[in-house]
C-alpha cells in the first residue's frame, strides 16, 4: 500500500542524505520525494511517497524518528490530507493538433507556459489522478518530454460538527 510520510527536519547540511540513505540502506523504495523550507527557515519539510505493508511502514517511521535532525514524522495516509504534484509536459504540436492540445489543457485547467512552432509546454498542478489523466490524453499527440515534481501533502484540519440548531424558545405572552 502506498504511504505519504511527512518528515519535519532541521534545515541542516546532509539531513536529506541521511533520510534518503536510511531508505536505501534498508532496501525501501522512494516513489517520490519533495523537500523545501517551512515558514521557519531553520526547518524543512520532506514529503516521501513510499510503498509497503504495515510492518515496513512501522519500521520506516521508527528509523526516521532515530535520525537526530528529525523533529516530527507523520504518516499522512492515516489521516485526511490534501496532496498535489506539478508536471511540465512538452507536447509535439503538428498544425492539425494545436487546437486539440489547447482544448485538452483547458479541460484540466492546465496552462500552456511555453510554445514553439512545433511544441507546447503544458503545466498542470493537481492530484495524481488528474495529472495522469492529462498525460494519458496528451499521449496520442506525442509527448516529447515530461517532468514531475513529486507529491507534496498536508493534513486537513479537523472539523467540528456544529451543535444541533436550537429553536428559539417560544415567548410567553
Amino acid at each position: 500500500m502506498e504511504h505519504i510520510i511527512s518528515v519535519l527536519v532541521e534545515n541542516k547540511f546532509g539531513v536529506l542524505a541521511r533520510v534518503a540513505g536510511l531508505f536505501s540502506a534498508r532496501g525501501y523504495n522512494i516513489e517520490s520525494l519533495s523537500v523545501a523550507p517551512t515558514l521557519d527557515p531553520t526547518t524543512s519539510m520532506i514529503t516521501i511517497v513510499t510503498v509497503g505493508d504495515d510492518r515496513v511502514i512501522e519500521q520506516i517511521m521508527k528509523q526516521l524518528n532515530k535520525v537526530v535532525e528529525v523533529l516530527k514524522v507523520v504518516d499522512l495516509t492515516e489521516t485526511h490530507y490534501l496532496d498535489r504534484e506539478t508536471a511540465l509536459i512538452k507536447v509535439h504540436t503538428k498544425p492539425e493538433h494545436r487546437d486539440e492540445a489547447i482544448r485538452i489543457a483547458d479541460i484540466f485547467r492546465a496552462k500552456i507556459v511555453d510554445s514553439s512552432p512545433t511544441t507546447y509546454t503544458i503545466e498542470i498542478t493537481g492530484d495524481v489522478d488528474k495529472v495522469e489523466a492529462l498525460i494519458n490524453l496528451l499521449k496520442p499527440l506525442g509527448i516529447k518530454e515530461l517532468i514531475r515534481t513529486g507529491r507534496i501533502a498536508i493534513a486537513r484540519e479537523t472539523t467540528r460538527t456544529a451543535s444541533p440548531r436550537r429553536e428559539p424558545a417560544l415567548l410567553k405572552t
Side-chain angles (χ1 to χ4, degrees):
M1 181 179 165
E2 182 183 90
H3 288 262
I4 299 176
I5 299 173
S6 180
V7 186
L8 182 65
V9 298
E10 295 176 15
N11 191 0
K12 290 184 176 176
F13 176 81
V15 174
L16 179 60
R18 279 189 280 287
V19 169
L22 179 152
F23 278 76
S24 68
R26 286 157 183 82
Y28 304 138
N29 190 33
I30 296 175
E31 298 288 323
S32 76
L33 183 142
S34 176
V35 60
T38 64
L39 280 176
D40 176 359
T42 65
T43 63
S44 291
M45 184 64 74
I46 300 173
T47 305
I48 301 167
V49 179
T50 189
V51 176
D53 60 24
D54 290 345
R55 185 188 59 78
V56 167
I57 299 304
E58 183 181 336
Q59 282 302 310
I60 289 171
M61 302 286 283
K62 285 180 180 175
Q63 294 299 320
L64 286 170
N65 277 310
K66 289 181 181 176
V67 177
V68 172
E69 296 88 354
V70 170
L71 304 173
K72 185 178 180 183
V73 181
V74 176
D75 181 359
L76 291 173
T77 311
E78 297 176 353
T79 65
H80 295 285
Y81 64 93
L82 294 171
D83 68 322
R84 296 289 184 265
E85 87 174 303
T86 297
L88 295 173
I89 308 160
K90 191 177 289 183
V91 181
H92 292 285
T93 51
K94 296 176 184 171
E96 63 270 19
H97 293 149
R98 293 180 79 83
D99 289 341
E100 180 69 4
I102 292 169
R103 189 183 64 77
I104 292 170
D106 285 345
I107 290 170
F108 288 88
R109 296 185 189 153
K111 298 178 199 167
I112 296 175
V113 293
D114 191 35
S115 70
S116 75
T118 58
T119 63
Y120 280 147
T121 301
I122 299 172
E123 173 190 313
I124 183 167
T125 298
D127 62 28
V128 171
D129 292 339
K130 179 179 178 180
V131 173
E132 289 289 337
L134 176 63
I135 291 168
N136 287 333
L137 282 178
L138 291 173
K139 278 182 182 174
L141 302 180
I143 293 177
K144 182 175 182 182
E145 192 174 349
L146 169 67
I147 305 293
R148 297 171 81 159
T149 59
R151 289 158 64 185
I152 56 171
I154 191 167
R156 287 183 177 260
E157 289 294 317
T158 56
T159 55
R160 296 182 185 169
T161 56
S163 61
R165 187 176 180 175
R166 294 185 178 175
E167 294 297 323
L170 294 174
L171 297 174
K172 294 183 180 177
T173 56

